[in-house]
Amino acid sequence: MTLLHGGQLEQIAQQYNIPLDHWLDVSTGIAPISYPIPALPVNIWQRLPQKSPELIAAAKQYYQCSQLIITNGSQAIIKALPTLYRQKNVLGNDVYLPERGYKEHAHAWQLAGYTVHFYQTLLPEMNDLLPNSVLVIINPNNPTGQFFNKRVIDKYQQQLKRLNGLLVLDEAFIDVMPDNESYCSNIARGIDDKNTTQNFTQIGNSHCLVLRSFGKFFGLAGIRIGFLVADSFWCQAFESVLGPWQVNGPAQVIAEHALKDTQWQQTQKETLHQLKVAQALMFAQVFPNTVLQSSHGCDLFITLHFHHQETAKKLYHLLCQQGVYCRLSDEQDTLRFGITTQALLPRLAAACEQACKLLLTPIKSVTTL
């Protein structure tokens, strides 16, 4: 089964019979401002991509960690992890996941035959976690915006270590959160001997993985690059499964420049925050509190909750009719909007205002004489 994600603009444009270039696409959590592509040497296009020490060093500095691997996005790790975990811990069969969150996590574990336990807003009780189990935390969560600080994360990590389990942290959107909230720096170095024969339970801190996305914060999702922060045991295990040439050469050069550019990163954070505040204010002004119940998110997306479940689906359709594409949740009861630019915010506001007006306009009954 193929899951539905945001960013399916061609399909939506065809469905509503509106040309592609007439759309405002706010269906993803990708920054609307992209890191400027640097000049690329010609030979980078002509040779197979090699492991770049410069990129690895830049990534370790940016993520404040000692061990990581480069992948073609988090999806590669999410897909491979269930099978790999079963090979490393044959007693593992239970996985805890947020009921609302990136659906590819649950999809991968369910396909592999694990028993999935969904939790709501709060994390499952630590004392209820089963031995050898896996806990997946999306931090901050997409689309709810729920965020857990490092003190909370650390308690769960220690508990899972005692249970011989695994903590999986998906930090795809954490770049816009306050500094020092990522768990990357807490990952232990582990064992560096590639020829070690020790089993899963004997190896140092092999009980936590952190997935980091590059494309969302840097606005370059199209180059498909991500990072797994873990101890050397897991890094070696994933490298053996994923194989060579995970990321193309041009993407590696671009990512290296972006990860080193601290001035651009700071400007991006400030800009995204300002844009998010302005967009959230617009939603509060356009949608009356009789319609809009609450909004949540981070500086890369805003999710709107409504008093009536059917409102989200109706508004989604009314916005699409105007060439504005947001993300209708899988539950079809919330709308998630990516952050748009200052120049395009008036168009989004006008479309939302028109959609709300049509939503609240009573349907006139026709009397037959």
Side-chain angles (χ1 to χ4, degrees):
M1 180 184 68
T2 302
L3 298 177
L4 180 66
H5 299 289
Q8 310 296 317
L9 184 56
E10 290 190 6
Q11 177 183 332
I12 300 300
Q14 185 176 12
Q15 179 181 341
Y16 285 88
N17 196 28
I18 299 174
L20 272 173
D21 57 359
H22 290 190
W23 283 84
L24 170 58
D25 185 358
V26 285
S27 66
T28 72
I30 300 165
I33 301 165
S34 301
Y35 184 78
I37 304 299
L40 300 175
V42 174
N43 62 3
I44 207 71
W45 303 96
Q46 299 171 323
R47 64 189 183 201
L48 289 172
Q50 305 298 313
K51 184 179 290 188
S52 168
E54 293 80 9
L55 172 56
I56 292 172
K60 286 181 178 180
Q61 176 64 32
Y62 182 84
Y63 296 116
Q64 292 293 289
C65 65
S66 58
Q67 297 283 313
L68 55 74
I69 62 170
I70 306 165
T71 74
N72 61 357
S74 299
Q75 189 58 41
I77 300 297
I78 293 171
K79 185 177 180 179
L81 177 56
T83 300
L84 193 54
Y85 185 64
R86 178 162 283 144
Q87 293 172 1
K88 302 301 179 286
N89 188 346
V90 295
L91 299 177
N93 188 59
D94 297 275
V95 182
Y96 299 86
L97 290 145
E99 186 171 36
R100 288 179 182 255
Y102 185 54
K103 299 298 184 184
E104 292 288 352
H105 285 287
H107 185 58
W109 291 103
Q110 288 169 333
L111 275 181
Y114 286 79
T115 300
V116 173
H117 310 267
F118 289 108
Y119 60 88
Q120 305 297 319
T121 304
L122 299 178
L123 294 171
E125 289 290 335
M126 279 196 293
N127 292 332
D128 292 340
L129 295 174
L130 294 170
N132 306 294
S133 61
V134 178
L135 171 61
V136 178
I137 302 177
I138 305 171
N139 207 38
N141 185 283
N142 164 31
T144 68
Q146 178 71 50
F147 186 74
F148 301 98
N149 63 45
K150 282 203 294 188
R151 294 188 301 276
V152 173
I153 298 294
D154 197 54
K155 290 178 182 178
Y156 277 87
Q157 200 275 328
Q158 294 301 320
Q159 175 71 347
L160 285 159
K161 189 173 182 178
R162 287 190 288 269
L163 294 170
N164 193 37
L166 180 68
L167 174 63
V168 180
L169 291 170
D170 185 342
E171 294 187 345
F173 294 93
I174 206 168
D175 301 73
V176 296
M177 302 302 289
D179 292 339
N180 302 319
E181 282 298 338
S182 170
Y183 203 71
C184 288
S185 60
N186 292 56
I187 304 299
R189 180 176 294 276
I191 295 174
D192 293 324
D193 182 7
K194 295 183 179 180
N195 299 314
T196 182
T197 58
Q198 290 178 293
N199 63 35
F200 176 77
T201 59
Q202 292 175 309
I203 291 180
N205 182 14
S206 294
H207 302 274
C208 186
L209 308 175
V210 182
L211 283 62
R212 294 297 298 255
S213 171
F214 172 85
K216 295 177 177 64
F217 173 70
F218 290 96
L220 293 171
I223 70 173
R224 303 310 303 146
I225 185 170
F227 299 88
L228 170 69
V229 177
D231 75 344
S232 56
F233 170 75
W234 277 112
C235 287
Q236 292 162 19
F238 274 102
E239 284 184 328
S240 67
V241 170
L242 298 176
W245 310 311
Q246 272 287 296
V247 180
N248 66 77
Q252 292 192 45
V253 174
I254 294 167
E256 179 193 339
H257 280 263
L259 292 172
K260 290 179 177 178
D261 196 339
T262 55
Q263 183 175 351
W264 185 91
Q265 294 160 18
Q266 184 59 37
T267 300
Q268 177 81 329
K269 288 181 180 181
E270 294 170 359
T271 301
L272 288 174
H273 181 68
Q274 292 167 2
L275 293 175
K276 182 256 187 176
V277 169
Q279 191 164 317
L281 178 61
M282 180 274 290
F283 287 139
Q285 293 172 338
V286 167
F287 296 110
N289 55 19
T290 53
V291 173
L292 181 63
Q293 184 180 57
S294 61
S295 66
H296 304 278
C298 64
D299 288 349
L300 284 168
F301 62 83
I302 300 172
T303 300
L304 303 185
H305 302 253
F306 305 95
H307 289 288
H308 302 290
Q309 181 172 342
E310 67 274 9
T311 299
K313 191 172 182 180
K314 290 178 180 178
L315 285 174
Y316 172 80
H317 178 62
L318 291 168
L319 288 169
C320 283
Q321 287 180 324
Q322 300 177 73
V324 172
Y325 174 32
C326 62
R327 175 74 163 92
L328 177 65
S329 67
D330 297 300
E331 297 79 11
Q332 300 202 338
D333 59 356
T334 61
L335 292 179
R336 188 197 66 190
F337 292 80
I339 306 303
T340 192
T341 62
Q342 185 176 4
L344 292 174
L345 184 60
R347 180 184 172 185
L348 178 60
C352 288
E353 188 172 3
Q354 177 66 7
C356 189
K357 180 180 178 181
L358 293 172
L359 175 76
L360 298 175
T361 301
I363 301 175
K364 296 180 180 180
S365 60
V366 178
T367 304
T368 304
L369 299 177

